[in-house]
Amino acid sequence: MMKELEYPFDSDYILKTKKKLRRELLAQDRQWLCKKIAVLGGSTTSDVIKILDLFLLNQGIKVEFYESEYAMFWEDAVFGNEELQKFQPDLIYIHTTNRNIKKYPNIKSSRDEVNTFLEENYQYYAKAWEQLERKYHCPIIQNNFEFPFYRLLGNREAYDYRGKVNFIQRMNEKFYEYADTHDNFYIQDILYLSSCYGLDKWADEFYWHMYKYAMAVPAIPQLAYNLSNMIKSIWGKNKKALVLDLDNTLWGGIVGDDGVDKLEIGQETSNGQVFQSFQKYIKECSSIGIMLNIDSKNEYENAIAGLNHPEGILRPDDFVVIKANWKPKSKNIMDIASELNILPDSLVFVDDNPVEREIVNQLNQNISIPEMSTPEQYIRIIDHAGYFEVTNLSEDDLHRNEMYKSNMERVQLQHSFTDYHDYLLSLQMKAQIRPFQSIYYARIAQLTNKSNQFNLTTRRYTQNEIEEVAKDGEHIAIYGKMEDRFGDNGVVSVVIGAIKGDICHIELWIMSCRVLKRDMEYAMMDNLIYECTQRGVHEVKGYYYPTAKNIMVRDFYQDMGFEKIREDESGNTEWLYQIPQKYENKNDVIEVNKNE
């Protein structure tokens, strides 16, 4: 990761050195996720694309762009063109602003006329979205509208039905309703961005009349960074967990020196209020599935006492892993990643001490480490950085902390057994393994974009693609949902196989890291073979494409009884399994589909 492109960044520096930064990013030895993005603009978009490209490269996403002609977004969407059709984007970004609203009401407009204008403007956009969804079946990101930079009616603009501010608010609401009822359609909130940046600066007329940029050029990095966070979230590159320091991070003072009574947190002082607000924000983060962890140089007892401060918002039970000891924080962080069974690059390390941040950065360069300033800025820095940008929120997300804490209990139970098979039986696992169901489409798509370690082909799917696979009749598409005595793990595994003649070609086999080594892969294999035999399939072909993250499944097909039939110089392998006349189930510890 390039620090110059991490929040908070210097927009002027990025604009001046964009070519240099791009060369340096492309020179990095990385496992790139390669995608195609169509940018359909209602204004000039060239620098938006150049800066967006930088932020996406910094996220490990290498993009080929299509750019519409100036202000031709609607024509490209509705009528299409040969170049865009041939391009076949993986994602479409529609960059429009209030300058692209076709017709505003005026002071003499009646209420009925204003409502007509509103519906005509909305239908203009809705038609474009519907055409793009029908043609390309990929995620679409659309701006809402920022407020105008002047108010003819002053404050009355906000509530008078003829005011532009009121009209824009109503237009935005119609956009939100569309997004709420259409999966894979997302709103970029430039209304919020422009207010954070400062509307007078954002809407500087010079840039429109000189270059036809709908916002000030210095604001482009803010827009592009925010957009890059949405895109990396859609493609499964969000962070998963916070690793937090304690002293002067979650409270003011040093608990080991000052004692719990002297810590600054609560309503008694302004500084205490700041730390209490920060703890409240962190608690809210956990409610959307961000896993909370502690890495503190402290005695464990002192750390727990601090977390039990009567004015504190966070409690020990809010954290999945607590490392309070005198080991190097870089070592604790790696241990936390291991115990959570996630990769270190899924972590965000938050510490007020710049020395500790630099040590962790030098030893664990894939971990995101925000530059913390004064406590008053802690929330803004983490929130605006967009590490955990929410584009989809599943039921599993809402219960992720509980799921991972249950996993820790399973690990503790495992230590009490000498026979691993007996341990698995003691978990009393039950699974539902079925063909894709619409209720799980969003979670299945999310899982395909998040799973990196147990992902044999590294393919990613949008929700639209998942729906097509489920309905086309040419694929075996099954999901696996598992629960045990400690709780429900949700949808944890997905297999997609394309049927060609009497051969099933496995296009995707993934599993969540939280159920690794629980024999769920055997249960999925048994069900896959059952589905194959139901369709007259006699052979299954599997494919493994190695990445830096999926080495753990290199020998997966061999373990499943497949025979390797091909391997190239890059380590890509092809495997064959001939289904025997009498197939014996491999799973004997999970009850499958027993309670339906």
Side-chain angles (χ1 to χ4, degrees), residues 520-543:
M520 187 63 177
E521 63 270 35
Y522 295 125
M524 293 296 288
M525 176 71 173
D526 294 344
N527 195 271
L528 172 64
I529 298 304
Y530 171 79
E531 294 288 339
C532 285
T533 56
Q534 293 295 105
R535 298 196 188 198
V537 170
H538 299 115
E539 295 181 345
V540 181
K541 281 193 174 181
Y543 305 87

Side-chain angles (χ1 to χ4, degrees), residues 532-590:
C532 285
T533 56
Q534 293 295 105
R535 298 196 188 198
V537 170
H538 299 115
E539 295 181 345
V540 181
K541 281 193 174 181
Y543 305 87
Y544 168 69
Y545 305 134
T547 70
K549 297 181 178 180
N550 72 353
I551 296 172
M552 65 171 293
V553 290
R554 179 178 53 197
D555 300 323
F556 172 76
Y557 284 118
Q558 180 177 311
D559 295 340
M560 289 291 112
F562 286 66
E563 176 188 357
K564 184 161 66 174
I565 57 176
R566 188 173 292 109
E567 181 171 5
D568 65 18
E569 62 279 0
S570 299
N572 299 310
T573 55
E574 182 178 342
W575 301 77
L576 176 66
Y577 184 84
Q578 294 182 325
I579 301 175
Q581 285 190 339
K582 188 175 182 181
Y583 174 82
E584 293 186 9
N585 284 344
K586 298 177 180 295
N587 158 56
D588 65 351
V589 295
I590 303 172

Side-chain angles (χ1 to χ4, degrees), residues 48-87:
V48 173
I49 289 173
K50 290 174 184 175
I51 305 304
L52 175 62
D53 186 38
L54 295 181
F55 287 122
L56 290 175
L57 285 170
N58 199 47
Q59 295 284 356
I61 304 172
K62 186 184 288 185
V63 174
E64 178 185 353
F65 287 95
Y66 167 88
E67 182 180 14
S68 70
E69 296 294 331
Y70 169 75
M72 295 290 285
F73 76 96
W74 193 84
E75 289 80 0
D76 270 3
V78 175
F79 304 117
N81 63 56
E82 188 176 341
E83 183 183 355
L84 179 56
Q85 195 70 34
K86 185 178 179 181
F87 184 71

